Each structure stands twice: as C-alpha cells, then as structure tokens.
Amino acid sequence: MGKLPSPMKGDAHQGRSNAGEQAGAALLQAAQRLRESRQQLHDLTALAPCPYLLAGHDGMLLETNPALCAISGYAPDDLAGRNLAWLLPGGPRTPGEADAMLPGIFTLRHRDGHAIPVRLHASMSRDASGAPDRLSCFLSRPNTGLPENREQELALHDALTGLPDRTLLHQRLQHMLEQADGKPVALMFLDIDQFRKVNEALGHEAGDQLLRQVALRLRAMLPADGIVARLGGDEFVVAASCPAGASDAAATAGRLLAALAAPCTVAGEEVGISASIGVAMHPADATTRETLFRHADAALHRAKAAGRNSWCFFEAEVNARARARMLMEQALHRALERGEFELHYQPRLDLRSMAVTGMEALLRWNHPHLGRIAPQDFIPVAQQLDLMDDIGHWALREACLQGGRLQRQFGRALRVSVNLSARQLCHPALGERLGMALEAAGLAPQLLELELAETALTDDLDAAARRLAALKARGVRIAVDHFGAGGGALACIQHLPVDTVKLDPAQDSARPGFLKALVTLAHALDIRVTATGIETPALRERMRDAGCDDGQGYLLAGPLSLAEFQLFLARLPA
C-alpha cells in the first residue's frame, strides 16, 4: 500500500514562517486602515459646520473642532484637558454618565461667561470589558419653543450661577440709571476674600458650589428692582437705588456682608467666607456707566487693601493719587533709558575752617510732563518695582564720572558720597561695578564714599561686615547715615569697617548729652562725624561745639545742579 510522502521539516518551518508573515502584514494593514479612518474622521469633523468634541473615559476633552471653538470663544489649547462638565455645566462628566443623561439639552459655557443652550447628539464607544470608553458629540442649537427674545435673554446669563452676565448687566444698569432721573444709584463691586484658597483646598467643583450659594444670598438681599450680576471668577456686581444716597448704600453693603457671614456647606465641608465691596454713587461720583464701573473697581481695591471683609466708598482724592501713582510707575520704567535722571550735589564743609571737603550726590528725576518729582515720592516706588538696582548703578557711575572731572577742573581733592541701598550692597556684581566706575572716571578710590543707612546694616552685622570689608579692600570709604536712629549705633561702629558717621541733630534734640556721647565714641574709634540738617547758625554752633568734624545743610549750601555746583566751586578762594 503506498504512503503519501512525509513533508520535510524545512518545508513545515517555511510554511509557519509564511503564515506568520502574512498575519503580521495583515495586522499592519489593519493598523494603517485604522489610522487612515481616524484621520478621515478628524478631517471630516474639522470641516463640519457643527460643533464637535471627543471625550475620553474620564471625561477629559481629547479633540475639538473649529466650530466648537467658534461657538464657545475658546482656543483649542484652552479646551485641551478640560472636563466635559467644565464646558457643559450640569452636563455629563464622563461617558458613563452620558449614557444615562443623553440625549438632552444643556448649556455651554462661553469664554465671556454667558450660557448658550445646546443639544447633544452623542455616540459612545466601549472598551473590551464593555465599560464606557469614549464619547463623540455633535452639538446643535435646540428649538426651545421660546420666543427669540427669550432665547437671547437666556444666552445673556452666567452659565454657573444663572445671574446676568456682563453684557446684560450693562444693559440693565444703563436702563436703571436712565430711569433714576438723577436720583442716587449705588454700584458695588464685590469680591470673595481668599476665594483661591477654597479652590486649592477643596477643588474647583466645590468652588463652583460656593459661587452658586453666594449668588443666591446676594439675590435674596436685594429688592426686586436691584441688579446682581457675575463678571467671572469670584467677581460680582450689585446695583441698587438708594434714595437717601450714601447712607442707603452703606446699609446695603452692610447687609450684603452680613448675608455672606454665615458659613456655606460645600463638598461636605463648612466653609466660612467674607467679601470686600467697593461702592461708587451715581451721579455723585460719575455720570456715565463706564466711569461708574471704573470708580467702583477703584473703591474695591481700597477695600481689599484695608484688610478685607469691609466696604469702601469711592473717593476722588484717593483715586487721583492712585492714578498719579500708576502714571509714575509707567514713567519710571522708561526714565533711565530716556535720560530723565540727574544728580545734584550738596556741599560738605569742615565746621571749623568752613572749607569744602566734598559733596553728596543726590538723585533727581525730571519728567518732561510731570515736572521735577521729589526723591521721597519716586524712590520708594522704584524700590517696589525693583528698578533701584539699575538706577543706583547709573548714579554710582555718574557720581564717579563727575567727581573725577571736578577734581581735574578745580584741582581740589573733593570726596563724593553716593547713597547705597541694602539691596545694592547685596548685589553680587557690586564690587565689579565699583571698580569699572572708578576706572572709567579716573577717580582715586579714597575720594569715593559709599553711604548706607544704619538700619540697612544692623539686620545681619556679620554679613554686612564681610561685604563692607570687600569694598574697603578696593580703597573706598564707608559712611553710615542716620547714625543712632536705629538703636544699633554701638554695634554698628564696633563691628563694621566705618570711616564716617552722619548725625541728624533733629533726632537727638530731645536727648541732651546723647549727641556729645555719640561724637566722643566715634572719635575714640577714629571715625569722622558729619552733622546733617544744619539750617540755622545756632545749630551749626551746637554741632561744632559737640565735636562734629563736617557739616551739611541749607545754611551752608543746598543741593545744587552740576552747573550750579561748578559755579559754587569757582567762587571759592583758591
């Protein structure tokens, strides 16, 4: 009986190999077709006129199309990673919830805060275990059966709280002001104090719950003709007629704060809140809606600065100061590059021979429109804006430059004193800047004196001593201003390499003998003493009798521009 020939082992292996390759190729083709299918779907949804979104199993948005961005006002990056419930408040948070809630009509949150009614047409996919995995949604505007003007009205309300949004607020407030016919109307800006901490501690959903409760309480406190609106975040606006003027407004603000004082329960936690309120009155504070808004906002900032949980009325004088401060801040940012700063020089004289021994360089700001601005007005602002490092560096270079020129012009070894802030003293590049300024000016190091306030040195004496020693190693002199004012005078001159101390006699007039004791102590340590603020002959004699070496003050000479100081030196006897 014949037998079929047995296959060779090699043939079997080859057969399995071919089958594997075919299966692999099929998988690759399937994967390619899936990618092409997804790309086609992406292209179709991108071109679709209807808003579209794709959410993952956790409800996070994975994909959106231009039509959704257009209707919501958000850019694609703004929507990426957001939850469904954030874009559709009250809607499904995950595909699993959507299975029970759809189809349905929901509100879409617009970037400006108003709500847009939308109908969701959804398709849900499931994973291998049958659990909801992804949710694809097309959105359309529903036929609500409401009159068109009613639909527009709904669209002008905040999606989260149901309060009027900014657009509707403007319309209603304008109508209220027109109907008031000159009778007082109060506009109040209200912010929840420390609202950010609620979001951080309990989450944004809890924060949303809190905002809804706040909206309900504010609405309950106002008469039927009052207005409550939400601008966004934790910012609310209240408008109310106030026949008795400011007293009515104050009473209303007080009732609003009292209404918010009771704790709110959110996310199972009892949360205590407070608010700050800024109040502006129409027509007393402003005759137009736009100006009224601006003034109420300014008053709100004052209420926050006053310690929160309070209300403040708009005050024109305070607002004028705030506006002047804002203009100053803006101008300061460009003042240095525009060459608006200059140095004035106040002569320092030997109190016995009355010979000029040096001068203190004092910063001045000449603004082309605001005029000359006093140092006590702009220097604190520049410090708050972190501009004094650059301004101080310029002052150091300019003082050295002019000091060197004056020495060569008049043949006098005049010591120029430059004020240095505590922050400048800590700057890592101070030593390098100092060396470059002296070299560029051709000024001998011993003719430069760096002047610091006593209070800037006594916080950390050891650190101050190291930094001053490094400066002294470059040959410059160190002076301490307002000596004795900070209560650390003894420690200051014992631990720091000081060459000169400056005393203000006005600070020591009520302490007989104290001035003499300070001078004696300084001289015992080989430190010169300069008296400042000398404005009368009697004071000059008193400071000279106390043993002060040098003096500054308006009796001797006030601060002079460079040209005036040159003229001052030219008139001195040779």
Side-chain angles (χ1 to χ4, degrees):
M1 188 172 178
K3 293 183 179 180
L4 294 173
S6 299
M8 299 293 288
K9 289 184 178 179
D11 293 339
H13 176 76
Q14 183 65 37
R16 287 195 299 270
S17 176
N18 290 339
E21 289 177 0
Q22 291 172 0
L27 286 173
L28 288 174
Q29 290 174 0
Q32 178 63 26
R33 286 196 297 270
L34 179 60
R35 283 195 295 271
E36 291 173 354
S37 176
R38 286 179 175 172
Q39 183 61 46
Q40 289 172 358
L41 176 62
H42 175 79
D43 294 342
L44 287 172
T45 56
L47 295 172
C50 294
Y52 168 82
L53 63 84
L54 174 67
H57 70 278
D58 55 0
M60 295 300 173
L61 297 178
L62 302 176
E63 190 174 325
T64 58
N65 73 343
L68 180 68
C69 295
I71 193 175
S72 67
Y74 291 101
D77 289 345
D78 296 329
L79 296 172
R82 294 286 192 178
N83 189 276
L84 273 170
W86 177 85
L87 184 63
L88 302 163
R93 291 175 296 180
T94 63
E97 290 186 5
D99 197 21
M101 299 175 70
L102 298 177
I105 297 176
F106 302 93
T107 56
L108 180 137
R109 181 204 300 265
H110 191 275
R111 184 185 183 94
D112 293 337
H114 67 267
I116 302 173
V118 293
R119 183 185 297 277
L120 265 62
H121 310 270
S123 173
M124 185 176 61
S125 63
R126 298 178 181 273
D127 61 19
S129 66
D133 183 37
R134 292 194 174 196
L135 185 70
S136 299
C137 292
F138 280 98
L139 285 64
S140 65
R141 294 297 299 272
N143 180 9
T144 62
L146 297 172
E148 185 178 351
N149 61 349
R150 178 58 178 155
E151 268 198 44
Q152 292 173 350
E153 179 81 358
L154 288 173
L156 293 175
H157 283 72
D158 172 50
L160 179 65
T161 63
L163 295 177
D165 67 1
R166 185 186 297 268
T167 302
L168 186 56
L169 168 64
H170 286 175
Q171 296 172 3
R172 291 187 175 178
L173 178 61
Q174 186 65 40
H175 180 72
M176 175 183 278
L177 298 180
E178 291 169 356
Q179 293 296 112
D181 195 25
K183 295 177 182 177
V185 172
L187 182 70
M188 305 182 189
F189 273 32
L190 183 150
D191 271 13
I192 307 302
D193 296 332
Q194 307 295 331
F195 176 71
R196 179 174 54 85
K197 292 184 177 179
V198 176
N199 280 335
E200 291 175 350
L202 302 178
H204 288 276
E205 289 188 16
D208 288 349
Q209 292 178 33
L210 178 62
L211 292 174
R212 283 192 284 265
Q213 293 188 40
V214 168
L216 290 172
R217 293 187 187 187
L218 294 179
R219 250 193 310 224
M221 293 307 301
L222 288 182
D225 63 345
I227 301 173
V228 184
R230 178 173 175 244
L231 297 183
D234 63 326
E235 300 174 347
F236 294 85
V237 176
V238 173
S241 298
C242 296
S247 60
D248 273 359
T252 301
R255 287 196 300 271
L256 294 176
L257 290 181
L260 298 178
C264 299
T265 301
V266 293
E269 299 284 344
E270 198 171 77
V271 178
I273 61 170
S274 63
S276 300
I277 301 176
V279 186
M281 301 296 298
H282 178 278
D285 296 328
T287 57
T288 66
R289 186 193 69 211
E290 294 79 5
T291 307
L292 196 64
F293 262 69
R294 196 165 62 247
H295 288 178
D297 190 39
L300 173 62
H301 282 82
R302 285 187 54 229
K304 288 181 175 181
R308 306 179 188 276
N309 194 30
S310 63
W311 49 267
C312 282
F313 278 98
F314 170 77
E315 294 182 15
E317 183 180 345
V318 173
N319 189 63
R321 290 200 298 268
R323 181 169 175 76
R325 164 73 181 240
M326 181 190 70
L327 292 174
M328 181 184 295
E329 289 180 359
Q330 293 174 345
L332 267 172
H333 281 288
R334 302 292 301 277
L336 192 57
E337 65 180 82
R338 289 174 175 169
E340 295 172 1
F341 292 115
E342 67 172 321
L343 294 180
H344 283 201
Y345 301 89
Q346 185 169 26
R348 181 188 300 179
L349 279 67
D350 185 299
L351 286 179
R352 285 167 178 74
S353 67
M354 299 307 291
V356 177
T357 59
M359 64 283 194
E360 180 180 358
L362 300 168
L363 187 63
R364 296 291 184 265
W365 181 19
N366 298 312
H367 189 274
H369 305 299
L370 302 176
R372 178 165 291 176
I373 301 174
Q376 62 267 27
D377 291 334
F378 77 82
I379 288 180
V381 179
Q383 289 172 334
Q384 292 173 11
L385 296 175
D386 292 332
L387 298 175
M388 280 310 297
D389 276 346
D390 291 337
I391 296 173
H393 184 204
W394 173 85
L396 176 64
R397 293 198 317 269
E398 181 70 9
C400 290
L401 187 64
Q402 299 303 337
R405 289 175 178 172
L406 291 170
Q407 178 188 0
R408 292 187 290 272
Q409 181 180 356
F410 294 97
R412 293 176 177 270
L414 299 173
R415 182 173 295 118
V416 59
S417 180
V418 181
N419 289 279
L420 210 63
S421 68
R423 181 162 180 166
Q424 283 178 276
L425 179 63
C426 297
H427 198 288
L430 176 60
E432 181 183 356
R433 290 176 172 181
L434 179 62
M436 292 174 64
L438 290 170
E439 183 178 358
L443 182 69
Q446 64 270 21
L447 294 181
L448 175 64
E449 186 173 76
L450 300 177
E451 187 173 312
L452 296 106
E454 178 190 317
T455 51
L457 299 170
T458 52
D459 286 343
D460 188 342
L461 281 174
D462 291 337
R466 289 194 300 272
R467 295 184 180 111
L468 294 182
L471 297 176
K472 284 278 292 180
R474 292 179 175 271
V476 300
R477 294 175 61 87
I478 303 297
V480 176
D481 197 10
H482 302 296
F483 183 66
L490 182 59
C492 186
I493 60 176
Q494 277 185 317
H495 293 89
L496 302 179
V498 176
D499 300 291
T500 301
V501 293
K502 301 181 77 172
L503 303 178
D504 183 355
Q507 295 175 343
D508 305 308
S509 58
R511 295 180 286 180
F514 183 71
L515 176 63
K516 178 67 175 176
L518 285 179
V519 174
T520 301
L521 177 62
H523 284 166
L525 296 171
D526 197 25
I527 296 173
R528 289 183 67 84
V529 179
T530 297
T532 63
I534 298 178
E535 298 183 2
T536 65
L539 187 55
R540 179 187 59 194
E541 296 306 313
R542 177 181 166 224
M543 301 308 285
R544 182 162 54 192
D545 292 343
C548 293
D549 303 292
D550 303 309
Q552 275 180 245
Y554 280 86
L555 176 69
L556 308 177
L560 305 170
S561 68
L562 179 60
E564 291 170 337
F565 187 62
Q566 288 172 319
L567 185 60
F568 173 83
L569 292 177
R571 290 173 177 170
L572 295 176

